[in-house]
Amino acid sequence: MPAKRSPARRPTMKDIARRAGVSESAVSFALNGRPGVSEVTRDRVRRVAEQLGWRPSTAARQLSGEGAATVGLVVARPADTLGVDSFFLQLISGIQEVLAERHLGLLFQVVEDVDAECGVYRRWWAEHRVDGVMVVDPRTDDPRPDLLDELGLPAVVIGGVPDARHPGLSTVWADDAGAMAAVVGQLYALGHRRIVHIAGLPGLAHTERRIRTLRTEAERRGLCEVRSVTTDYSDAEGAAVTRRVLAEDAPPTALVYDNDVMALAGVTAAAELGFAVPADVSVISWEDSALCRMVKPWLSALSRDTVGFGRKAAEELTALLDGGPARTVQVPVPRLIERESTGAALDSQPRPRGSGSAG
Amino acid sequence: MPAKRSPARRPTMKDIARRAGVSESAVSFALNGRPGVSEVTRDRVRRVAEQLGWRPSTAARQLSGEGAATVGLVVARPADTLGVDSFFLQLISGIQEVLAERHLGLLFQVVEDVDAECGVYRRWWAEHRVDGVMVVDPRTDDPRPDLLDELGLPAVVIGGVPDARHPGLSTVWADDAGAMAAVVGQLYALGHRRIVHIAGLPGLAHTERRIRTLRTEAERRGLCEVRSVTTDYSDAEGAAVTRRVLAEDAPPTALVYDNDVMALAGVTAAAELGFAVPADVSVISWEDSALCRMVKPWLSALSRDTVGFGRKAAEELTALLDGGPARTVQVPVPRLIERESTGAALDSQPRPRGSGSAG
DNA sequence: TGAGTGGACTAATGCGCTTGAGTACCTAGA
DNA sequence: TCTAGGTACTCAAGCGCATTAGTCCACTCA
């Protein structure tokens, strides 16, 4: 027995029908803009509905065959990893802009891992809760596309690479490979030959793509002291890896971080070891956020329109919901914005100076 | 006509009834644990249901009087202000932990302002979308409690101060006043007499409470060079205010920032003006996050368990949904964690040294 | 033997909405 | 005058579930 404070009762179509002196069906026709009622009646019904503050009950509507008017988004990341970077809230903001227009709700859930995520999809599907979902953090060897196919749940994969095996899924993606190539190109032009890429979570599709591209680009230029190290995206691991690689005999002269948080943690760690940025080591953040302009030196970063990314994804999903075909759309390649943390490489072998002695 | 890929059909109670050889009512009784069926039948029905992967349709359930099994959360902040601080995603993580257990969905929406937020509540109410809502960022002179009373929508206010005028609302709050008193006390003990509080958005209840407490505490100690300045929480304004107050003839020796982002922007701005932290000016961040340990000097911060805060709030809401009474519960007072950004005040009047000349 | 009792189950209704199948009325054409 | 074809509606069924009011069948006790 739910808490009740005897509030205003919600008006139903029956109320409107009574007040307008027509049948419920007429009200339905009038309100849904379908033929079968005269313009006068339609107007009258509309006015009564508005006056009563009526809104269709999504439950009832759904029960009679329409959708749930809701889309789902589940992110599978531990809580602490989630909070730090600004990506998700930005993305969600963009998604909302589009959904709000169409009066679609967003069902949001955070879970621990992909298995749990699949469980959520199953439940949502069985409970008729959502009409479609947005999938983030696509992985190599990802179980979700197959599942969504099986359930017949319309979905758009955000940040995935186009995948011919799942023609039912839309994909919205940015060309990370192209961006990585540009980064390597620019660092190379600045004279950098030893580059370390502090990557994100190993299973993620875009992580793997960046790693692969880095290797390809390095090989193409004959660089052998170029590599990637995966992390969990946290500031702690970002700092730890930074300390480790800078302590090597021939430390890298450029560091590329897969998010803003690690980049910041990295410059701080580098500074503690006596490495000046960008004099001794250049730093690039893959994510551009307010953070990058809040520290000195300002961080050079790959900038993309995350809000727009979310908007685009939501548009694709609504198109799918309207019965449109699955599509693959590409958003603009992230642009490298050079600020203060990148510069020419030193010719000589850099040696840590100052306080911190590398262990 | 929605996109269909002729997927698996969702099983209904009718399917179960057929397979188990009983009526739909028996299935309902069996599955909802109410009397009217034998234990053998109940078991059999349960087994069939599980085997079929059945889950109750929330829509149908709702239509027959139960709730929507969903709670709502709307945050009214512009997208760019939202992304930066980690508070919301942490809060949501906590909320989810509790909701997931009870199979409650979270309908999430971000809007521009409180008016829009009220509109969302009205719509959700009329559409039967949610059973209750969580209200964040309570304000002085807030229209939302009245509205929620009027709609009879169970709600818990997160971070509000207990309000006797709305006995229907639960409140989960932290004692910001006590925390501010502690901060002032500690700064006073360190010898600080000129303190500026770089506050958040002016309309917010906790902003006003902190400002009021700061003034009270200052008066109690006879300090007249203590004041608050409100901002929009952005790094830009945080930096701007910092620059402005440090350029004064008798600049403050301690700065208290209402979030981590502004605190970070503040120390950077201070450094550019030649102020060393904490030698020339002490800095405290009201929000403790990874950020605070990612910069040198590490930021002293008021730490609270944001995830736990969200958990607590969700628990109160579910209690309300279960028909419990509205309550006011307090979470632990934020604790001041002193790191490297706070220290004793200089006796002498500090003067900017070094590069930056204040304009 | 018949009335009474309680346990196990079925039938029927309603929630708010959509929708296909009518129905009543009007006009036009043969 | 009768029919064909609209138009503007109304009726009734059904979506998946909960729930109230039965129904049927032992079984007990007088």
Side-chain angles (χ1 to χ4, degrees):
Chain A
M1 204 176 300
K4 277 276 167 60
R5 294 174 246 162
S6 70
R9 203 177 60 81
R10 295 154 167 104
T12 73
M13 282 191 11
K14 194 180 289 181
D15 299 321
I16 301 177
R18 194 165 23 231
R19 300 257 299 229
V22 291
S23 73
E24 283 186 61
S25 327
V27 172
S28 178
F29 290 150
L31 260 18
N32 291 338
R34 40 181 71 219
V37 286
S38 64
E39 277 311 307
V40 239
T41 310
R42 191 185 297 276
D43 274 5
R44 183 156 39 92
V45 168
R46 278 210 184 111
R47 214 159 15 229
V48 173
E50 178 152 7
Q51 176 186 332
L52 254 44
W54 177 88
R55 299 242 76 211
S57 150
T58 48
R61 197 162 241 180
Q62 181 181 344
L63 209 50
S64 38
E66 307 288 291
T70 305
V71 306
L73 171 63
V74 11
V75 334
R77 285 201 194 176
D80 42 332
T81 316
L82 231 192
V84 277
D85 71 42
S86 56
F87 178 77
F88 278 113
L89 277 176
Q90 300 265 92
L91 187 77
I92 291 178
S93 295
I95 291 174
Q96 295 272 2
E97 281 180 30
V98 176
L99 296 186
E101 247 170 46
R102 312 240 326 201
H103 292 261
L104 290 171
L106 178 68
L107 206 55
F108 181 54
Q109 183 140 6
V110 331
V111 297
E112 277 293 309
D113 52 39
V114 180
D115 278 349
E117 182 174 343
C118 288
V120 171
Y121 291 145
R122 283 187 187 283
R123 185 143 44 77
W124 280 353
W125 170 80
E127 291 178 349
H128 294 61
R129 267 182 181 280
V130 298
D131 298 330
V133 298
M134 336 221 15
V135 177
V136 294
D137 285 346
R139 300 170 182 248
T140 54
D141 202 28
D142 198 320
R144 293 171 293 175
D146 281 333
L147 173 63
L148 294 168
D149 260 0
E150 176 197 331
L151 298 179
L153 210 48
V156 14
V157 178
I158 297 177
V161 350
D163 178 358
R165 288 169 313 166
H166 294 283
L169 302 185
S170 280
T171 299
V172 178
W173 69 301
D175 182 14
D176 280 28
M180 179 56 101
V183 165
V184 175
Q186 176 61 11
L187 288 176
Y188 188 87
L190 285 169
H192 294 277
R193 297 298 177 264
R194 293 191 302 279
I195 303 172
V196 172
H197 168 214
I198 291 90
L201 287 166
L204 265 33
H206 63 257
T207 300
E208 300 299 335
R209 204 161 354 127
R210 291 175 196 175
I211 291 176
R212 224 175 9 253
T213 308
L214 177 69
R215 192 160 45 226
T216 314
E217 291 294 317
E219 280 166 7
R220 207 158 64 79
R221 294 184 171 86
L223 307 176
C224 48
E225 293 183 282
V226 167
R227 70 186 195 276
S228 297
V229 184
T230 58
T231 69
D232 65 357
Y233 278 123
S234 72
D235 57 301
E237 287 206 9
V241 171
T242 304
R243 274 191 289 269
R244 204 173 65 225
V245 300
L246 289 182
E248 292 169 1
D249 280 342
T253 64
L255 299 169
V256 180
Y257 294 86
D258 260 10
N259 73 3
D260 49 353
V261 171
M262 291 197 296
L264 175 48
V267 290
T268 304
E272 283 175 0
L273 292 180
F275 282 81
V277 175
D280 298 323
V281 59
S282 285
V283 166
I284 291 177
S285 161
W286 199 284
E287 197 70 58
D288 190 20
S289 72
L291 265 193
C292 298
R293 270 150 295 142
M294 275 162 55
V295 291
K296 292 299 283 188
W298 286 356
L299 299 185
S300 299
L302 277 164
S303 170
R304 53 179 167 178
D305 177 10
T306 307
V307 175
F309 200 24
R311 212 181 288 130
K312 198 79 207 153
E315 279 166 7
E316 285 309 309
L317 186 53
T318 56
L320 226 43
L321 260 31
D322 289 340
R327 303 198 311 161
T328 295
V329 320
Q330 189 176 352
V331 298
V333 183
R335 253 174 344 106
L336 176 60
I337 301 196
E338 293 199 68
R339 297 206 179 90
E340 301 169 350
S341 67
T342 41
L346 291 168
D347 289 326
S348 63
Q349 187 112 327
R351 285 273 157 224
R353 314 159 296 196
S355 57
S357 86
Chain B
M1 206 178 299
K4 277 275 165 63
R5 295 174 244 158
S6 71
R9 203 177 60 81
R10 295 155 167 103
T12 74
M13 282 190 10
K14 194 179 290 180
D15 299 321
I16 301 177
R18 193 162 27 227
R19 301 257 300 229
V22 291
S23 73
E24 282 187 62
S25 328
V27 173
S28 178
F29 291 151
L31 261 19
N32 293 338
R34 41 182 68 222
V37 286
S38 63
E39 278 310 307
V40 238
T41 312
R42 193 185 297 277
D43 273 6
R44 183 157 38 95
V45 169
R46 278 210 184 110
R47 216 162 11 232
V48 173
E50 178 154 6
Q51 176 185 334
L52 253 44
W54 178 87
R55 297 243 78 212
S57 150
T58 49
R61 197 160 239 182
Q62 182 181 345
L63 209 51
S64 40
E66 307 288 293
T70 306
V71 306
L73 172 62
V74 10
V75 335
R77 287 202 191 172
D80 42 333
T81 315
L82 230 192
V84 277
D85 72 43
S86 57
F87 178 77
F88 278 112
L89 277 176
Q90 300 265 94
L91 188 76
I92 291 178
S93 294
I95 292 174
Q96 295 272 4
E97 281 180 30
V98 176
L99 296 186
E101 246 169 47
R102 313 238 329 199
H103 292 261
L104 290 170
L106 178 69
L107 205 55
F108 182 56
Q109 182 140 7
V110 332
V111 297
E112 278 292 310
D113 53 39
V114 179
D115 278 349
E117 183 175 343
C118 288
V120 172
Y121 291 145
R122 282 186 187 284
R123 185 143 46 74
W124 280 354
W125 172 78
E127 291 178 349
H128 295 59
R129 267 184 182 278
V130 298
D131 298 331
V133 298
M134 335 221 16
V135 177
V136 293
D137 285 346
R139 299 169 182 249
T140 54
D141 204 28
D142 199 319
R144 292 170 295 174
D146 281 332
L147 174 62
L148 294 168
D149 261 359
E150 177 197 330
L151 299 179
L153 210 50
V156 12
V157 178
I158 297 178
V161 352
D163 178 357
R165 288 170 314 168
H166 294 284
L169 301 186
S170 280
T171 300
V172 177
W173 70 302
D175 182 14
D176 281 28
M180 179 57 101
V183 165
V184 174
Q186 176 62 10
L187 288 176
Y188 187 86
L190 286 169
H192 294 278
R193 298 296 178 268
R194 292 191 303 279
I195 303 170
V196 171
H197 168 216
I198 291 91
L201 287 166
L204 266 32
H206 63 257
T207 301
E208 300 299 336
R209 205 162 353 128
R210 292 175 195 174
I211 291 177
R212 221 173 15 248
T213 307
L214 178 68
R215 192 161 45 224
T216 313
E217 291 294 316
E219 281 166 8
R220 207 157 65 79
R221 294 184 170 83
L223 307 175
C224 48
E225 294 182 283
V226 167
R227 67 188 197 276
S228 297
V229 184
T230 58
T231 68
D232 64 356
Y233 278 122
S234 72
D235 58 301
E237 287 206 9
V241 171
T242 304
R243 275 190 288 270
R244 206 173 65 224
V245 301
L246 289 181
E248 291 169 3
D249 281 342
T253 63
L255 299 169
V256 179
Y257 294 86
D258 260 9
N259 72 3
D260 50 351
V261 172
M262 291 197 297
L264 175 50
V267 290
T268 305
E272 283 175 357
L273 292 178
F275 282 81
V277 176
D280 298 325
V281 59
S282 285
V283 165
I284 292 177
S285 161
W286 198 285
E287 197 71 57
D288 189 21
S289 71
L291 264 193
C292 297
R293 270 151 296 145
M294 276 163 53
V295 292
K296 293 298 284 188
W298 285 357
L299 300 184
S300 299
L302 278 164
S303 169
R304 53 179 168 178
D305 177 10
T306 307
V307 175
F309 201 24
R311 213 181 288 132
K312 197 81 209 148
E315 279 165 6
E316 285 309 308
L317 187 53
T318 56
L320 226 43
L321 260 31
D322 288 340
R327 303 197 312 161
T328 295
V329 320
Q330 188 175 352
V331 297
V333 183
R335 251 174 346 107
L336 176 59
I337 300 196
E338 292 199 68
R339 297 204 180 90
E340 301 170 348
S341 67
T342 40
L346 291 168
D347 291 325
S348 62
Q349 187 108 330
R351 286 272 157 226
R353 314 160 295 196
S355 57
S357 84

